[in-house]
Amino acid sequence: MSLSKDLTIVIPCKNEGLIIKRTLELINLQSNIKGVNVMVADSSTDDGFTQKCILNSFHNNINIKIVKGGFPAEARNNGTKKIKTPYVLFLDADIFIKEFSLLKNMVEQMKKNDYYLSTTKMRTEDGDYNYVYESFDVIQYLTKFSTPFAVGGFMLFNLEVFNSLGGFNPDDKFAEDYHLSSKIKPNKFYVANKIVYTTSRRFKNKGLFYMVKMMIKSWFNRNNDEFFTKEHNYWT
């Protein structure tokens, strides 16, 4: 049975043509993916190169639609407008899903257990900084009983719950993913024992110390809405 009646995928993107091309082509290989809509919220400034990569990707099983982008919070919200499926997957442009049955299995778990939000574990393809992600697995497990902590790389949401929370705060310029996930009831949050892969570019661009520091600060400021409306030099 196709996932098209259950799932819509939303991907914010900016100047990530070659990366998102691969992301889309891997989604296209997922089990039961035929007919699923993928909303790419694009805010690229590279003279159409990213959009050309998106449209030229091999995606005979999925329906790709390009919508208005912006900062991640705004872009993600734009991608959810007018969708009708009960679940929405927020995926970063550089998340590579290599297990072909992962989405089918994740949606089945959402249905079976009435989860509001599900995520996965994450690792880098090149193996760099994986010790950070392994440490995050422990932190995520310890905090999920009180304050769910999901990163925007992979967030599978119940759309009705997402809308009831007002979506991502459009004023958020940093960690909008964690800010929203922290509002989910702990018993409705699920971390699958599955792995998706990403690049190590964020750690290489911003530095390990900065990334770890901001992760810790986000947790301590989880009830401080103003903290998330500042960029904290993340986008510079």
Side-chain angles (χ1 to χ4, degrees), residues 94-141:
D94 61 349
I95 297 297
F96 310 130
I97 306 176
K98 298 184 178 182
E99 183 179 329
F100 296 147
S101 61
L102 188 144
L103 293 185
K104 177 178 73 69
N105 292 340
M106 293 284 287
V107 170
E108 288 174 353
Q109 285 294 319
M110 290 282 282
K111 287 182 175 182
K112 179 180 177 181
N113 298 285
D114 191 29
Y115 291 130
Y116 293 171
L117 172 63
S118 294
T119 189
T120 64
K121 297 178 181 180
M122 199 173 297
R123 298 290 185 270
T124 60
E125 275 199 304
D126 58 15
D128 289 349
Y129 304 102
N130 273 345
Y131 59 91
V132 179
Y133 284 106
E134 290 165 1
S135 299
F136 181 71
D137 292 344
V138 177
I139 295 170
Q140 196 172 51
Y141 177 79

Side-chain angles (χ1 to χ4, degrees), residues 11-31:
I11 307 177
C13 177
K14 183 176 182 180
N15 301 339
E16 298 168 287
L18 296 179
I19 293 175
I20 194 172
K21 182 175 186 291
R22 182 168 177 234
T23 296
L24 293 169
E25 290 178 346
L26 285 170
I27 292 172
N28 190 68
L29 297 176
Q30 282 288 299
S31 303

Side-chain angles (χ1 to χ4, degrees), residues 29-200:
L29 297 176
Q30 282 288 299
S31 303
N32 299 50
I33 202 71
K34 187 74 172 180
V36 167
N37 289 326
V38 179
M39 319 297 287
V40 179
D42 184 42
S43 55
S44 295
T45 57
D46 54 8
D47 296 324
F49 176 75
T50 289
Q51 290 201 11
K52 185 180 295 185
C53 289
I54 292 169
L55 297 174
N56 288 343
S57 64
F58 185 76
H59 54 266
N60 62 320
N61 289 322
I62 55 179
N63 302 318
I64 297 176
K65 301 180 181 180
I66 299 176
V67 298
K68 181 182 176 182
F71 273 95
E74 178 187 12
R76 296 177 198 275
N77 287 342
N78 286 342
T80 65
K81 292 178 180 178
K82 299 182 180 180
I83 71 173
K84 299 179 180 179
T85 55
Y87 301 103
V88 56
L89 171 63
F90 296 103
L91 201 69
D92 277 355
D94 61 349
I95 297 297
F96 310 130
I97 306 176
K98 298 184 178 182
E99 183 179 329
F100 296 147
S101 61
L102 188 144
L103 293 185
K104 177 178 73 69
N105 292 340
M106 293 284 287
V107 170
E108 288 174 353
Q109 285 294 319
M110 290 282 282
K111 287 182 175 182
K112 179 180 177 181
N113 298 285
D114 191 29
Y115 291 130
Y116 293 171
L117 172 63
S118 294
T119 189
T120 64
K121 297 178 181 180
M122 199 173 297
R123 298 290 185 270
T124 60
E125 275 199 304
D126 58 15
D128 289 349
Y129 304 102
N130 273 345
Y131 59 91
V132 179
Y133 284 106
E134 290 165 1
S135 299
F136 181 71
D137 292 344
V138 177
I139 295 170
Q140 196 172 51
Y141 177 79
L142 293 176
T143 62
K144 76 174 186 176
F145 299 104
S146 59
T147 308
F149 196 158
V151 293
F154 189 108
M155 297 177 74
L156 179 58
F157 246 109
N158 177 301
L159 182 63
E160 183 177 355
V161 173
F162 173 81
N163 287 333
S164 73
L165 294 172
F168 294 97
N169 184 346
D171 294 326
D172 283 356
K173 301 295 187 296
F174 178 81
E176 78 292 336
D177 40 12
Y178 170 57
H179 194 197
L180 184 59
S181 68
S182 66
K183 303 179 187 303
I184 296 295
K185 296 178 181 178
N187 66 333
K188 295 296 185 178
F189 176 59
Y190 174 61
V191 182
N193 190 26
K194 302 286 185 179
I195 294 175
V196 296
Y197 294 88
T198 187
T199 66
S200 55

